[in-house]
Structure formats: structure tokens, C-alpha cells
């Protein structure tokens, strides 16, 4: 397959935990993905990009080599790759707000764990041997790393290893296998990565457009548009309470001298507590609305 050099290439997980959210992010950025879930590549109908659907483990290599200019991958996979023999030539541009999980060391529930030294001399099964080894080295604990490609949680029962080091999200898998988490090796989530290999002018331009759209999508996820009314004397107190808002718009209210409408984009979550504080500071008719699109 000869890559089209006038297009941007984006590597996404073909199927698995990151696949749907990755596609959704690109769709939210306005990219119309042409082609079904089973193809290996898909063109984007309305943007100069082509998607490549691969195993998540291959994404750091593809982006480092410059085969794909962009990729979406878990930090766990990326950092494990970065500790490997080939120097990664890619950079993390953004955390994407999905795929959250934690790489943890877990031991049988009945095991009396008393700090990292309890791991000394044990065998620990994992799919992340380099991250685990780094953790053990930093803790100064000698233990044997047993590499497994799946079903890591079965290792203690099968007597392949004493303990495990695996990704945890809800904790249900550990629990149903009679294990408890005792140490955190890495906090992870999906990230957008870009190659450090030089790009020609055309693709640099397309990449900038894509990034600006993705930034906009990420910003709108957290951001809210807030509107409220306030008297002049309460304005300073109220604007100080607006979370992550720069330079709110203040407009006089028709027919109510000394009263104003305040409009602001809040770049952080707006909680009920914040609304209560705003009300306490003299705000009324408070409205919080989602933002659909934003470009800064
Ligand atoms: O085929 P391919 O190689 O692309 O996929 P894969 O099987 O290697 O990966 P996949 O789809 O399982 O996960 C892709 C990425 O999702 C991971 O690299 C993480 O960045 C992220 N992620 C988020 C997770 C989890 N949460 C997760 N819970 N990846 C795996 N798990 C597994 C974990 O290994 C364990 O088996 O889920 C189980 C634990 O889940 P809980 O909810 O019971 O704690
Ligand atoms: Zn994988």
C-alpha cells in the first residue's frame, strides 16, 4: 500500500477499548469517516486525511516512523514503547479524556502486604515488563518479571507467578480473581501523539487545522457558557467566582438601571456548589448551557 503523501495519516486502534472513542473524537472534529469498521484504512470524505486501523501496540511505531503523522494510543502502551530499544520519535500533544486506567501491582487478597519490600524475591506477571521493571528498580526491590500477553490475572492461580501487574479500571477483574491492588505503577489515559519526523508544508498545514479542531473539541467538553443577572455592586464578587472565565461580557439590562447580564465561557466544570456561591453573592437567573463548537 502506497501512502498518499498529500494526506495526513492517522493511526487508530482497529477494535478494542479505544476504538469507538477515537473515531468519535475525529467525528466531533468534523471528519466524515468513509468505510466500515472492518476495513484496514478509511478515507475522510471532507478532510485531507486517511485513517489506518491497527493494533494499539503498533501505534507508537507507526507514528515514530512517520508512516502515520498522528495516532491515538494509551499512555501505558506509549511509555512501555518509550522504555524499549528504539528511541521514540513522537510527542504527546493532548490527553483526550477517555481510556482512563491505572497500571497496578496486585496480590492475592489473603496476602499480608507490607510495602514494596513484600514483593522481593517474587515472580510478577505482566504485559508491561519495562514499566514494571522501572518501578521495581526505583523501589530497589529485586523481583522476577514474567511477561504474558493476556489473561495476566490468571497467573497466580495457575502458579505462573505470585503476583500480577495489570491495568485496572473498575477493579472488577481483580476482585473476581481474588486479588487486591497494592501499588500504582502508572496512571494512564488515551493521548494524541504526533510524529517528530519532518512534515512537508502541505501536511503541516493540514495538521495545524486538525489540531485546532481537536483543541476545540477538547475545550468544549469541559467548557460551559454561563449567563446570569447581577446588580452593579455584586459584579466584582460574582465575576471572581466564575471558574476559568476570562473577561466576561457585562451588558446593561433593559429597564433595570444598575443591573447587568453577565455572560462568560467557563473553561472548567461548573458544579452546583459554584451556582450556590454565585447565588449567595447576589446572582439571579443563572443559566449554564453546553457549548457545541469553539475555536480559539
Ligand atoms: O487488539 P489490540 O492490541 O489493539 O487491543 P488490546 O487488547 O491490547 O487493548 P484493549 O482494547 O483491551 O485496551 C486498549 C487500551 O485501553 C489499553 O492500552 C489502555 O490504555 C486502555 N484501557 C482502559 C484498558 C482498560 N481500561 C482495562 N480495563 N485496557 C485494558 N483493560 C483490561 C485490563 O487489562 C484487565 O484485563 O480490563 C481488565 C480490567 O478491567 P476492570 O474494569 O475489571 O478493572
Ligand atoms: Zn494491544
Amino acid at each position: 500500500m502506497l501512502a498518499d503523501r498529500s494526506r495526513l495519516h492517522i493511526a487508530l486502534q482497529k477494535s478494542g477499548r479505544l476504538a469507538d472513542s477515537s473515531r468519535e473524537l475525529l467525528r466531533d472534529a468534523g471528519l466524515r469517516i468513509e468505510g466500515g469498521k472492518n476495513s484496514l484504512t478509511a478515507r475522510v470524505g471532507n478532510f485531507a486525511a486517511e485513517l489506518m486501523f491497527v493494533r494499539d501496540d503498533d501505534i507508537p511505531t507507526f507514528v515514530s516512523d512517520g508512516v502515520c503523522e498522528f495516532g491515538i494510543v494509551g499512555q501505558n502502551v506509549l511509555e512501555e514503547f518509550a522504555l524499549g530499544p528504539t528511541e521514540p520519535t513522537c510527542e504527546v500533544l493532548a490527553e483526550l479524556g477517555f481510556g482512563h486506567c491505572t497500571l497496578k501491582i496486585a496480590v492475592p487478597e489473603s496476602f499480608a502486604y507490607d510495602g514494596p519490600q513484600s514483593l522481593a524475591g517474587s515472580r510478577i506477571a505482566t504485559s508491561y515488563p519495562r514499566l514494571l521493571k522501572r518501578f521495581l528498580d526505583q523501589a530497589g526491590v529485586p523481583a522476577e518479571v514474567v511477561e504474558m500477553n493476556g489473561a495476566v490475572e490468571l497467573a497466580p492461580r495457575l502458579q505462573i507467578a505470585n503476583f500480577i501487574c495489570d491495568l485496572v479500571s473498575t477493579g472488577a477483574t481483580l476482585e473476581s480473581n481474588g486479588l487486591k491492588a497494592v501499588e500504582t505503577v502508572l496512571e494512564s489515559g488515551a493521548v494524541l501523539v504526533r510524529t517528530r519526523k519532518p512534515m512537508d508544508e502541505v501536511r503541516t498545514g493540514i495538521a495545524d487545522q486538525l489540531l485546532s479542531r481537536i483543541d476545540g473539541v477538547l475545550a468544549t467538553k469541559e467548557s460551559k457558557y454561563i449567563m446570569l443577572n447581577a446588580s452593579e455592586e455584586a459584579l466584582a464578587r460574582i465575576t471572581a467566582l466564575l471558574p476559568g472565565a476570562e473577561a466576561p461580557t457585562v451588558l446593561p439590562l433593559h429597564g433595570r438601571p444598575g443591573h447587568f447580564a453577565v455572560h462568560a465561557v467557563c473553561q472548567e466544570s461548573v458544579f452546583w456548589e459554584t451556582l450556590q456561591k454565585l447565588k449567595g453573592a447576589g446572582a439571579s437567573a443563572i443559566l449554564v448551557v453546553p457549548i457545541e463548537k469553539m475555536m480559539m
Side-chain angles (χ1 to χ4, degrees):
M1 176 180 53
L2 207 60
D4 181 347
R5 290 291 128 195
S6 63
R7 288 180 161 255
L8 214 57
H9 302 85
I10 311 170
L12 305 181
Q13 190 188 26
K14 183 173 188 314
S15 60
R17 289 168 189 262
L18 303 182
D20 288 343
S21 302
S22 302
R23 283 169 181 252
E24 196 182 304
L25 174 75
L26 296 182
R27 275 196 211 105
D28 288 346
L31 274 59
R32 200 176 63 233
I33 303 169
E34 292 176 346
K37 277 201 150 182
N38 291 325
S39 30
L40 297 176
T41 61
R43 262 174 107 84
V44 177
N46 54 354
F47 195 85
E50 201 163 308
L51 311 184
M52 306 222 172
F53 302 115
V54 295
R55 290 202 58 184
D56 65 348
D57 316 75
D58 294 330
I59 294 176
T61 312
F62 277 29
V63 178
S64 274
D65 289 351
V67 172
C68 291
E69 290 81 10
F70 286 92
I72 293 177
V73 67
Q75 278 160 311
N76 49 309
V77 170
L78 192 63
E79 298 220 0
E80 180 71 17
F81 174 80
L83 293 173
T86 37
E87 182 74 14
T89 33
C90 56
E91 60 180 323
V92 172
L93 297 180
E95 290 186 18
L96 300 174
F98 58 86
H100 292 298
C101 54
T102 315
L103 184 62
K104 292 193 176 201
I105 296 177
V107 302
E109 255 152 21
S110 58
F111 183 79
Y113 186 77
D114 188 26
Q117 281 308 324
S118 303
L119 306 169
S122 67
R123 287 163 59 81
I124 311 176
T126 189
S127 307
Y128 297 90
R130 297 172 191 139
L131 285 166
L132 173 58
K133 182 155 187 332
R134 181 177 69 180
F135 174 89
L136 294 170
D137 288 349
Q138 282 171 355
V141 176
E144 190 184 336
V145 176
V146 180
E147 189 170 350
M148 282 177 75
N149 283 327
V152 171
E153 64 278 358
L154 299 180
R157 249 192 293 158
L158 299 175
Q159 298 187 335
I160 296 167
N162 309 95
F163 309 128
I164 70 163
C165 171
D166 198 10
L167 298 173
V168 178
S169 51
T170 63
T173 305
L174 289 187
E175 204 184 313
S176 65
N177 285 284
L179 300 166
K180 62 179 177 191
V182 292
E183 296 290 343
T184 292
V185 174
L186 185 83
E187 297 280 353
S188 178
V191 289
L192 178 70
V193 285
R194 176 171 61 185
T195 187
R196 284 188 192 277
K197 288 273 159 74
M199 263 185 252
D200 58 44
E201 213 173 299
V202 175
R203 271 175 300 162
T204 305
I206 310 167
D208 288 348
Q209 273 183 43
L210 178 70
L211 280 183
S212 135
R213 289 194 194 189
I214 289 180
D215 279 348
V217 173
L218 297 177
T220 53
K221 276 202 176 147
E222 276 281 283
S223 300
K224 294 279 180 281
Y225 195 74
I226 185 162
M227 293 176 266
L228 55 86
N229 293 348
S231 66
E232 188 161 16
E233 54 94 22
L235 272 181
R237 278 200 311 273
I238 286 172
T239 50
L241 284 172
L242 292 171
E246 279 170 30
T249 309
V250 179
L251 308 157
L253 281 179
H254 182 66
R256 289 193 68 194
H259 283 77
F260 295 88
V262 178
H263 289 197
V265 173
C266 291
Q267 312 238 358
E268 294 162 28
S269 301
V270 181
F271 299 105
W272 282 108
E273 290 77 17
T274 314
L275 299 194
Q276 257 142 11
K277 281 189 200 155
L278 286 168
K279 199 161 188 304
S284 60
I286 309 171
L287 272 184
V288 180
V289 293
I291 295 171
E292 194 179 298
K293 289 196 175 59
M294 187 152 85
M295 190 168 280
M296 304 305 248

